[in-house]
Amino acid sequence: MLVSGGGTNLQSLLDALGDSPVARVTRVVASRPDAGALERARRAGVPAAVLADPADARELLAALGDARLAVLAGYVKRVPPAVVARFRWRLINIHPALLPAFGGPGMYGDRVHRAVLASGAAVSGATVHYVDEEYDRGPIVAQWPVPVHPGDTLETLAARVLEVEHRLLPLVVLELARRGAPEEPVRLFAAGSTFVTGDDVEIRFAQGS
Ligand code: GRF
């Protein structure tokens, strides 16, 4: 798991995966030493490392080791192309809007929600997508819409989206882990698909929903 910030998404994975035989967080890699996520990793007993130079592909590859899936959550640094290539279709990011809208260079954190509010959009959401060579442009794995309410502030919208991120990311990680290493991008929760959670609850995504 790659982090730069407070690590609430890391926490959602730690809490949701627990001792799951399907997937677990094996290591946390931070782009900065003051990332709050490091403390969450320590509390959970998960090994953590801080990158001396996030642009150094060799350092990052060494930190990721033999991880089957690399998850970016609140990670703000560019992933070097050599790492993208090595982790093709095994490197995902969570973004706090419905990509391809409100993404791209410089669109992270509160800037995303500010842009959504300024646009007057009625819907925002959370997107999990593959990381490729372009910022926020890799194939989408899954999306979850979130309404924008009249009178929303930066804080109220960010909180509503973050809550959904915390539900979406564990679902996606579990499902990708179950499927193993794919040859091509996987699209989850498309209309008409079904999804079985770790508790054997089946979620159906109706056509046209
Ligand atoms: C989340 O909105 C995530 O989508 C974004 O950073 C925010 C906070 O992440 N990329 P976290 O609390 O550090 O997981």
Side-chain angles (χ1 to χ4, degrees):
M1 182 110 189
L2 279 83
V3 295
S4 301
T8 64
N9 278 294
L10 165 65
Q11 194 66 52
S12 77
L13 274 182
L14 291 169
D15 295 345
L17 300 182
D19 295 326
S20 164
V22 178
R24 71 196 163 85
V25 181
T26 56
R27 70 209 80 192
V28 170
V29 179
S31 66
R32 42 190 297 173
D34 59 349
L38 289 167
E39 173 59 18
R40 297 181 191 269
R42 202 193 55 74
R43 276 206 305 266
V46 175
V50 179
L51 296 170
D53 178 7
D56 179 349
R58 280 206 299 191
E59 186 190 5
L60 184 47
L61 283 172
L64 291 173
D66 61 357
R68 285 189 290 149
L69 182 70
V71 179
L72 275 61
Y75 187 74
V76 297
K77 293 292 181 185
R78 181 168 183 268
V79 180
V83 178
V84 172
R86 177 79 65 83
F87 277 81
R88 187 73 67 194
W89 314 141
R90 296 190 298 129
L91 184 60
I92 59 173
N93 176 50
I94 186 153
H95 183 83
L98 290 183
L99 292 175
F102 307 109
M107 275 298 227
Y108 58 84
D110 286 350
R111 295 180 190 196
V112 177
H113 304 300
R114 213 173 271 127
V116 169
L117 289 172
S119 77
V123 182
S124 189
T127 300
V128 176
H129 66 97
Y130 289 103
V131 175
D132 68 7
E133 287 74 8
E134 260 189 286
Y135 265 111
D136 296 334
R137 279 287 178 269
I140 289 168
V141 184
Q143 291 189 304
W144 191 314
V146 173
V148 181
H149 294 163
D152 256 345
T153 62
L154 193 56
E155 290 73 25
T156 57
L157 179 59
R160 195 176 308 119
V161 171
L162 192 58
E163 202 179 301
V164 163
E165 290 182 53
H166 295 163
R167 295 166 69 185
L168 179 63
L169 190 60
L171 288 176
V172 169
V173 168
L174 276 169
E175 186 61 17
L176 291 182
R178 264 193 206 104
R179 291 175 184 226
E183 298 282 311
E184 52 187 35
V186 168
R187 179 73 164 91
L188 300 176
F189 319 144
S193 67
T194 56
F195 172 80
V196 182
T197 70
D199 305 320
D200 284 342
V201 175
E202 189 172 284
I203 300 174
R204 283 172 207 275
F205 292 83
Q207 295 284 1
S209 68

